[in-house]
Amino acid sequence: MGPEAFYQLDEGTVTVSRMGTITVLDRANYRVVQFDSDGAFRHMFGRKGGGPGEFEFPGYVTTDADGVIVWDARKRAFLRFDLDGNFVDQVSVRDLGLPVGIAKHDDTLIYGFRSRRTADGRREISL
């Protein structure tokens, strides 16, 4: 299995770590697949389900020096995994809107949320 095995990749489903590791969120199969900087398969983790470390509707992925973070839209939570794909924890953000993307910069998780028009025509943006 190599990167060419993915027939559809959307914005926010591929990220490259500082070390060159390529991380792909395979939404259709509820898993994360990682490759080394040369594109050789390293490992994969995750599966469909509602339990710890399982995905109900994975949306976006990002990486940092500690591991992988996946946004799950149905759980309304960020799921964190270590560098080996072991589940670390889940951070729920149920009171916020649905993100349009996530990224990690140093120790800061950055995520943007959708905007909407109010009844009087103004644009309201949730961050």
Side-chain angles (χ1 to χ4, degrees), residues 34-82:
Q34 289 192 313
F35 304 91
D36 66 20
S37 60
D38 294 323
F41 175 77
R42 287 186 59 218
H43 65 272
M44 67 181 138
F45 56 91
R47 66 180 183 182
K48 184 177 182 176
E54 296 176 338
F55 304 122
E56 291 183 26
F57 195 79
Y60 301 103
V61 65
T62 191
T63 56
D64 64 11
D66 298 321
V68 176
I69 302 169
V70 176
W71 165 255
D72 190 301
R74 187 155 295 132
K75 287 184 173 186
R76 305 278 269 206
F78 294 99
L79 284 70
R80 294 190 318 150
F81 300 86
D82 68 16

Side-chain angles (χ1 to χ4, degrees), residues 71-73 75-79 90-99 102 109 111 113:
W71 165 255
D72 190 301
K75 287 184 173 186
R76 305 278 269 206
F78 294 99
L79 284 70
Q90 176 175 309
V91 179
S92 295
V93 288
R94 295 197 178 277
D95 295 333
L96 298 176
L98 297 175
I102 63 174
L109 178 63
Y111 46 96
F113 287 92

